[in-house]
């Protein structure tokens, strides 16, 4: 495999901007110099931890580690002490890389610290890179079913995913990406930073998300926007009073949403105001990216609610509960997604038992449930553990009910779970944040709304009202925190 970042070799593009965080910019020459200044400090390290703040030092640290062939372990600065202690103990990094002046918490105190430079001798050259199967990153899962597990992502997976997305999205060196995603996970770090650098383009990180920041950067030449549903929801709400935001979004080449399903009402509000559709894609920590809607508006899956076709190199199938593949793509039958391809992780660090359990032969069990339409495109209906509801002999995906609830004018947020029922096995429960807390929609009204658009057996039997849904740093609803 060739270099992960061919644009970092010396050449006429050295003055091109690579990274911009607020007022701080690094050119390709400057990034190469900073990385070359850091790589000697990493020599001999088995792994290095990166204190992944939204700053250029995080990008320099990860790029330097990748160029040096040392696996990087990105750390979420908001992680609690207990979880951080587990991650540091499990991954056993030799060093922690951080921006000068960053205060590090107690679990990192015993590690030697290296302050990350953002400058260096531009004549400096990083060492030769290792082969495609060498580990690149160890990214820890969210730990919803136990302590977080470290997914070991090889260099081939990073390259395969970014090249497949370049193919699907016509992503080139001319693109300028704007986002405000955290840099400790796949979406913000691999797609949002390493993606532009592999293409030879540039990234502008907002630091903190705001609709005003999105408007400013898209109006100033940015061509792509990456976000999560909570960000697009705020954009959709801001469009009513900000015509310049609508104009800026209309001028973007590509709007991408990921990390969770984007509700249909937000799709519709943004498209109506801008004439632009939002492209959804699907991936996981262990797999990087699996599917995406293409840029052609007539491509398979080019409709709200679809994550499109499998990316180049990705094989995908739906299986029944006994593990046998679904015989047809009928757009109705729910199955678990299994995948294989060069984009997969190699193992869970120190967890051979969990690694073995995650695979069916060479197929990775994603735990995500979906239906597949006749054109091969995929529609997610939820997680097997939390979003598949077995009620009255039917298998019901929570996601499709949530989308219908969000289409009700009196609903601001909605989540759907199942709970035990002596008659049905499980009953559908809707957790609703009303648009007007003083006048919430009735349970009967919401049940009728769902039954009219889907099927009567999918209607919520119970409705519970909340002030807000519990969400993690990526905007995903934490359904395990919802209980009666």
């Amino acid at each position: 495999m060739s270099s992960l970042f061919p644009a970092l070799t010396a050449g006429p593009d050295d003055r091109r901007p690579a990274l911009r965080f607020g007022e701080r910019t690094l050119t390709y020459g400057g990034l190469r110099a900073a990385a070359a200044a850091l790589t000697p400090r990493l020599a001999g390290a088995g792994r290095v931890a990166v204190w992944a703040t939204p700053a250029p030092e995080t990008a320099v640290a990860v790029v330097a580690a990748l160029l040096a062939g040392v696996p990087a372990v990105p750390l979420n600065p908001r992680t609690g002490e207990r979880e951080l202690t587990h991650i540091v103990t499990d991954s056993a990094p030799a060093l922690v890389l951080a921006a000068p002046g960053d205060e590090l918490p107690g679990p990192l105190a015993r590690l030697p610290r290296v302050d990350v430079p953002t400058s260096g001798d531009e004549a400096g050259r990083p060492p030769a890179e290792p082969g495609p199967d060498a580990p690149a990153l160890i990214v820890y899962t969210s730990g919803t079913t136990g302590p977080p597990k470290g997914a070991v992502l090889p260099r081939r997976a990073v390259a395969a995913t970014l090249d497949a997305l370049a193919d699907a999205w016509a992503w080139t060196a001319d693109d300028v990406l704007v986002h405000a995603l955290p840099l400790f996970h796949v979406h913000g770090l691999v797609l949002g930073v390493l993606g532009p650098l592999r293409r030879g383009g540039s990234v502008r990180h907002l630091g903190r998300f705001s609709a005003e920041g999105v408007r400013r950067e898209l109006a100033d030449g940015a061509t792509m926007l990456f976000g999560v549903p909570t960000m697009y929801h705020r954009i959709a709400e801001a469009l009513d009073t900000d015509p310049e935001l609508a104009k800026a979004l209309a001028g973007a080449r590509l709007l991408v949403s990921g990390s969770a399903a984007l509700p249909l009402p937000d799709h519709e509000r943004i498209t109506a105001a801008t004439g632009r559709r939002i492209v959804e894609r699907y991936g996981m920590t262990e797999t990087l990216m699996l599917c995406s809607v293409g840029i052609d508006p007539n491509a398979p899956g080019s409709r709200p609610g679809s994550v499109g076709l499998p990316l180049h190199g990705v094989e995908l199938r739906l299986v029944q509960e006994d593990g046998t593949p679904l015989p047809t793509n009928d757009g109705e039958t729910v199955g678990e997604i299994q995948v294989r391809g060069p984009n997969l992780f190699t193992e869970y660090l120190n967890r051979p038992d969990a690694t073995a359990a995650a695979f069916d032969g060479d197929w990775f069990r994603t735990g995500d449930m979906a239906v597949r339409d006749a054109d091969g495109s995929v529609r997610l209906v939820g997680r097997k553990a939390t979003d598949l509801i077995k009620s009255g002999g039917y298998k019901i995906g929570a996601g499709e009910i949530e989308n219908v609830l969000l289409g009700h004018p009196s609903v601001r947020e909605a989540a759907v779970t199942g709970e035990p029922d002596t008659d049905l096995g499980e009953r559908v429960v809707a957790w609703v944040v009303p648009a007007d807390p003083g006048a919430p929609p009735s349970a009967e009204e919401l049940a009728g709304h769902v039954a009219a658009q889907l099927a009567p057996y999918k209607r919520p039997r119970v409705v519970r009202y909340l002030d807000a849904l519990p969400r993690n740093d990526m905007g995903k609803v934490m359904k395990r925190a919802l209980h009666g």
Side-chain angles (χ1 to χ4, degrees), residues 469-472 476-482:
L469 294 176
R471 296 180 183 272
N472 65 14
K476 294 182 181 179
V477 176
M478 299 185 292
K479 291 194 174 181
R480 294 182 186 277
L482 297 171

Side-chain angles (χ1 to χ4, degrees), residues 124-449:
R125 293 291 179 268
E129 297 178 45
D133 292 321
L137 300 166
I138 301 171
V139 180
Y140 276 78
T141 62
S142 57
T144 55
T145 58
K149 299 187 293 288
V152 180
L153 297 168
R155 301 170 72 86
R156 60 164 164 76
V158 174
T161 276
L162 295 179
D163 292 348
L165 289 177
D167 180 61
W169 297 341
W171 193 352
T172 73
D174 293 328
D175 280 307
V176 177
L177 170 65
V178 58
H179 72 87
L181 298 162
L183 302 187
F184 57 83
H185 216 267
V186 166
H187 194 173
L189 178 61
V190 177
L191 274 62
V193 173
L194 305 186
L197 296 181
R198 182 161 174 82
R199 300 271 69 82
S202 61
V203 57
R204 300 176 187 172
H205 197 284
L206 297 178
R208 186 178 181 86
F209 173 80
S210 69
E212 294 82 4
V214 169
R215 179 191 63 206
R216 179 186 68 247
E217 297 302 336
L218 290 178
D220 190 33
T223 62
M224 302 165 65
L225 172 65
F226 288 178
V228 297
T230 51
M231 295 175 180
Y232 280 106
H233 180 71
R234 293 172 190 170
I235 286 172
E237 292 194 321
L239 285 170
D240 294 337
T241 57
D242 190 345
E244 290 303 310
L245 175 60
K247 182 178 178 181
L249 290 166
R253 191 181 71 78
L254 187 66
L255 308 175
V256 180
S257 179
S259 296
L262 181 65
L264 180 61
D266 291 330
H267 267 289
E268 293 175 338
R269 290 172 70 184
I270 292 173
T271 298
T274 68
R276 300 304 308 274
R277 67 192 180 108
I278 298 172
V279 166
E280 292 197 76
R281 88 297 179 282
Y282 161 54
M284 301 176 65
T285 302
E286 295 92 337
T287 66
L288 299 183
M289 293 303 105
L290 296 170
C291 297
S292 180
V293 176
I295 59 172
D296 183 347
N298 299 313
S302 296
R303 56 190 174 278
S306 173
V307 293
L309 296 173
L311 294 169
H312 178 73
V314 175
E315 295 181 71
L316 182 149
R317 69 181 184 183
L318 301 185
V319 301
Q320 303 174 74
E321 285 190 78
D322 62 3
T324 58
L326 292 180
T328 59
N329 298 333
D330 61 7
E332 292 290 335
T333 306
V334 176
E336 181 186 1
I337 297 174
Q338 293 188 351
V339 293
R340 62 185 179 187
N343 54 303
L344 293 188
F345 77 130
T346 54
E347 63 174 335
Y348 291 118
L349 187 68
N350 304 323
R351 291 290 305 276
D353 55 337
T355 303
F359 284 87
D360 177 4
D362 58 351
W363 292 89
F364 175 68
R365 298 182 171 108
T366 67
D368 288 325
M369 309 301 292
V371 298
R372 201 166 185 183
D373 293 326
D375 61 7
S377 60
V378 176
R379 285 184 289 126
L380 302 176
V381 300
R383 291 288 293 167
K384 185 177 182 180
T386 57
D387 296 321
L388 183 66
I389 303 166
K390 298 177 182 178
S391 182
Y394 295 101
K395 294 178 183 176
I396 303 169
E400 60 178 344
I401 304 174
E402 290 164 354
N403 261 331
V404 172
L405 289 171
L406 287 166
H408 192 286
S410 297
V411 174
R412 178 178 295 276
E413 295 184 85
V416 169
T417 61
E419 68 181 21
D421 185 279
T422 54
D423 180 41
L424 298 170
E426 285 186 292
R427 58 179 170 265
V428 176
V429 179
W431 303 80
V432 171
V433 178
D436 179 0
S442 69
E444 294 76 15
E445 181 182 354
L446 294 177
H449 178 71

